[in-house]
């Protein structure tokens, strides 16, 4: 029965999320059970695209991404895919009426990663919108479950949160992005000139986005609020650790939050959530 394949597809998305991201896995576990499969499906889809452009060295990445784009379009049109990650994603897209424009914008940002882009402010914002903000908006369409008014109200906050997460990732991954992938996302910054002053300016922008995003988290449906808050708390802790790390060290090693600390954070975040967000 096809139901077995559908169940397998969502299970593959779930396993993909757990394999690649402890933090997001914990956040999804804090969501209402009925919406978890959809968020696993979204994460699994974007993770696969990200792996194509970031990890499949020695292969024709442009060719693979183009194939992935065509398979996505076909899956959305035919409402079925043989790739389990695509199958769960297309089902989620149709079930929650996720805007195809968001998917196209995401894939466009993935294409940008295949090129040596000299990022100015406009291209920087374009990349962040497609690589992170639209993913937050896809999840928001699941959280609001067809309530267009609620979606539009929360949309600016979801974009701020996605942007903050991505910029923290940029700082965390500065070493690998530059040394392995040859990328620098921050506009107008030469890596040889990256210093504490420059780092501090970037951090001011991120901190403001975190503050604005928290306003929206407080307004989320109860089914999603704690899960998103948990992801927020993880990234906020990672950001604070990055703030305490010198620019010189950031470009030579990746800042991490140990898994044991993530579990402790989950428990403390629940107490904070109960006292401040409910």
């Amino acid at each position: 029965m096809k139901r077995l394949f559908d169940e397998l597809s969502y299970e593959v998305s779930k396993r993909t999320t757990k394999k690649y991201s402890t933090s997001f896995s914990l956040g999804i576990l804090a969501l209402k059970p009925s919406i978890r499969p959809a968020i696993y499906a979204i994460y699994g889809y974007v993770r696969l695209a990200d792996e194509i452009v970031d990890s499949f060295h020695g292969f024709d990445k442009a060719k693979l991404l183009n194939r992935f784009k065509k398979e996505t379009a076909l899956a959305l049109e035919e409402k079925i895919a043989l790739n389990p990650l695509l199958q769960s994603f297309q089902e989620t897209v149709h079930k929650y009426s996720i805007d195809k424009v968001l998917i196209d914008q995401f894939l466009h940002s993935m294409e940008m990663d295949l090129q040596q882009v000299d990022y100015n402010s406009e291209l920087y914002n374009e990349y962040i919108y497609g690589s992170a903000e639209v993913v937050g908006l896809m999840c928001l369409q699941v959280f609001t479950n067809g309530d267009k008014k609620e979606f539009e109200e929360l949309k600016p906050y979801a974009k701020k949160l996605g942007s903050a997460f991505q910029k923290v990732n940029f700082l965390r991954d500065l070493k690998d992005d530059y040394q392995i992938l040859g990328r620098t996302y921050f506009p107008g910054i030469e890596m040889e000139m990256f210093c504490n002053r420059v780092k501090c300016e970037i951090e001011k922008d991120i901190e403001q986005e975190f503050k604005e995003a928290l306003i929206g988290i407080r307004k989320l449906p109860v089914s999603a609020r704690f899960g998103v808050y948990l992801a927020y708390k993880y990234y906020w802790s990672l950001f604070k650790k990055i703030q305490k790390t010198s620019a010189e060290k950031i470009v030579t090693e990746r800042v991490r939050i140990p898994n044991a600390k993530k579990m402790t954070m989950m428990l403390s975040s629940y107490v904070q959530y109960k006292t401040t967000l409910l």
Side-chain angles (χ1 to χ4, degrees), residues 50-62 64 113-114 176-177 179-183:
D50 204 48
E51 286 304 300
I52 291 172
V53 299
D54 283 356
S55 302
F56 293 176
H57 310 308
F59 297 92
D60 190 334
K61 295 180 180 180
L64 290 174
D113 271 337
L114 295 175
D176 287 348
D177 281 343
Q179 294 184 7
I180 298 175
L181 300 173
R183 300 178 194 151

Side-chain angles (χ1 to χ4, degrees), residues 53-232:
V53 299
D54 283 356
S55 302
F56 293 176
H57 310 308
F59 297 92
D60 190 334
K61 295 180 180 180
K63 184 177 180 180
L64 290 174
L65 185 61
N66 188 52
R67 183 191 306 167
F68 184 69
K69 284 177 61 180
K70 290 178 179 178
E71 290 175 352
T72 297
L74 199 60
L76 293 175
E77 179 186 343
E78 297 182 345
K79 298 185 178 181
I80 193 167
L82 299 182
N83 179 328
L85 290 174
L86 272 176
Q87 171 62 11
S88 62
F89 180 68
Q90 71 82 16
E91 279 214 339
T92 296
V93 169
H94 287 110
K95 181 177 180 179
Y96 292 96
S97 300
I98 292 175
D99 194 338
K100 190 177 181 296
V101 172
L102 300 178
I103 303 168
D104 291 339
Q105 194 66 44
F106 168 73
L107 291 170
H108 172 65
S109 282
M110 294 300 98
E111 287 178 319
M112 292 175 74
D113 271 337
L114 295 175
Q115 309 161 27
Q116 289 288 0
V117 179
D118 185 11
Y119 282 95
N120 55 29
S121 295
E122 183 179 350
L123 289 173
Y124 177 62
N125 291 331
E126 179 183 336
Y127 179 82
I128 288 174
Y129 175 69
S131 65
E133 293 179 21
V134 299
V135 179
L137 295 178
M138 289 183 209
C139 292
L140 184 59
Q141 289 195 283
V142 174
F143 299 154
T144 55
N145 196 20
D147 189 326
K148 293 183 179 180
K149 182 180 178 181
E150 187 175 31
F151 175 81
E152 289 300 325
E153 179 188 357
L154 295 171
K155 183 176 178 179
Y157 304 109
K159 291 173 67 177
K160 289 291 183 184
L161 187 62
S163 177
F165 283 1
Q166 184 65 294
K167 290 171 185 176
V168 170
N169 285 342
F170 287 162
L171 285 175
R172 180 196 64 190
D173 299 335
L174 207 60
K175 171 182 173 288
D176 287 348
D177 281 343
Y178 180 65
Q179 294 184 7
I180 298 175
L181 300 173
R183 300 178 194 151
T184 52
Y185 292 102
F186 297 114
I189 295 176
E190 295 291 335
M191 286 302 298
E192 294 79 6
M193 304 296 291
F194 188 74
C195 61
N196 288 327
R197 180 188 60 78
V198 172
K199 177 173 167 286
C200 186
E201 286 301 311
I202 294 169
E203 288 166 348
K204 285 179 184 177
D205 173 49
I206 297 172
E207 190 158 8
Q208 183 58 38
E209 288 188 328
F210 268 121
K211 288 179 180 178
E212 293 178 38
L214 186 58
I215 297 170
I217 293 174
R218 296 178 190 276
K219 299 179 179 181
L220 281 170
V222 175
S223 59
R225 196 181 303 155
F226 180 53
V228 177
Y229 180 66
L230 191 58
Y232 168 93

Side-chain angles (χ1 to χ4, degrees), residues 226-259:
F226 180 53
V228 177
Y229 180 66
L230 191 58
Y232 168 93
K233 286 293 294 182
Y234 164 72
Y235 266 90
W236 176 254
S237 297
L238 179 60
F239 173 64
K240 298 310 285 184
K241 188 171 183 178
I242 287 171
Q243 276 190 312
K244 295 175 183 176
T245 306
S246 69
E248 185 180 15
K249 197 170 183 179
I250 287 287
V251 297
T252 58
E253 62 183 66
R254 194 174 192 258
V255 178
R256 300 176 184 272
I257 300 290
N259 285 340

Side-chain angles (χ1 to χ4, degrees), residues 5-19:
F5 179 64
D6 291 339
E7 290 174 357
L8 172 65
S9 296
Y10 280 102
E11 183 62 28
V12 170
S13 296
K14 180 178 179 180
R15 290 287 298 274
T16 300
T17 307
K18 288 186 174 182
K19 185 70 174 178

